Amino acid sequence: MTSYATSSPRADGQSDVSRLTKVVAPRLVFETVTKTWRGAPTPVLDSVELALEPGVLAAVTGRNGAGKTTLLRIASGLITPTSGRMLLEGFDSVKDRREYQRRVGFVSAGYGGLYARLSVREHLDLASKLALMPRRATKHAIEMVIERFQLEPLIGAERVDRLSMGQRQRVRLALGFVHDPRVALLDEPWNSLDPEGKEMVLAALTSFASAGGAAICCSPTGEELGERADMLYGIDRARLVRL
């Protein structure tokens, strides 16, 4: 795995190149990842290379059908690449699937993933149990995402199917973060959100990155992250290119 050396600041604020002692390993690594669907003449993703360091927010743009969702599903460990491999903190998405997926928070596009008859609190409790979170950490983690995604007014709702689409999206986002992932993979996370909700997502991602998390957000234009994106990529003809 590639390593990166960073310099420590001196007391006078200048960088001291003689103090290259801290080695930062990429949090998420694509190693020549290619995906070809059975029967397809060409790959949907071709030889993707990417190393995402802690604290980095990356935006990926591309037309509908370009391969953005496939990219995220491979990164989440839900799809196996045809060739190449995915590494998350050294864990392989295929050989170490359980440990790999425990470190990923994935929020898909659309409105799936919720159970109509469960309340918001029941969804969060279920997600923490499925992630095998320690009991002592569960309560604090749930309260954190309730605050981060402004779910306090929704906790009293008996069923999520009685919430608005924007409210449901907040719940889906909270479920992607409740287990304290190392990497967040978000497919059009701003769907159905009003301007206040979109700013909430940006604030949540900024806080996540500040704590050492890394994130990839996919959308058709890539504009939503704006200046907060550290890296901007596009998918063109199955290739991931830096913009």
Side-chain angles (χ1 to χ4, degrees), residues 24-30 50-60 72 75-76 86-89 100 103-107 148 176-177 179-186 204-218 225 228-231 233:
V24 180
R27 184 131 286 172
L28 181 69
V29 178
F30 291 72
L50 175 64
L52 197 65
E53 297 177 43
V56 169
L57 299 180
V60 177
L72 290 187
S76 71
M86 294 294 313
L87 297 172
L88 200 170
E89 295 187 333
Y100 183 102
R103 290 163 167 76
V104 174
F106 177 49
V107 180
R148 178 174 289 177
F177 285 86
H179 60 295
D180 192 23
R182 305 294 194 273
V183 170
L185 305 168
L186 311 177
L205 287 171
T206 301
S207 176
F208 179 68
S210 296
I216 299 176
C217 296
C218 288
L225 276 179
R228 304 192 205 193
D230 301 295
M231 308 164 77
Y233 291 90

Side-chain angles (χ1 to χ4, degrees), residues 18 37 43-44 49 53 59 67 74 87 119 138 152 154 173 188 215:
S18 68
W37 299 115
V44 63
E49 295 273 356
E53 297 177 43
I74 289 175
L87 297 172
S119 68
T138 297
E152 295 93 340
L154 311 181
L173 288 162
E188 301 190 29

Side-chain angles (χ1 to χ4, degrees), residues 17-34:
V17 295
S18 68
R19 298 174 63 188
L20 301 181
T21 57
K22 183 179 180 181
V23 176
V24 180
R27 184 131 286 172
L28 181 69
V29 178
F30 291 72
E31 289 189 350
T32 322
V33 169
T34 294

Side-chain angles (χ1 to χ4, degrees), residues 4 25 43 45 61 64 78 81 96 110 121 147 167 185 205 225 241:
Y4 299 83
L45 293 174
T61 182
N64 290 336
L78 295 175
D96 312 303
R121 175 73 70 174
E147 179 180 357
Q167 290 170 332
L185 305 168
L205 287 171
L225 276 179
V241 294

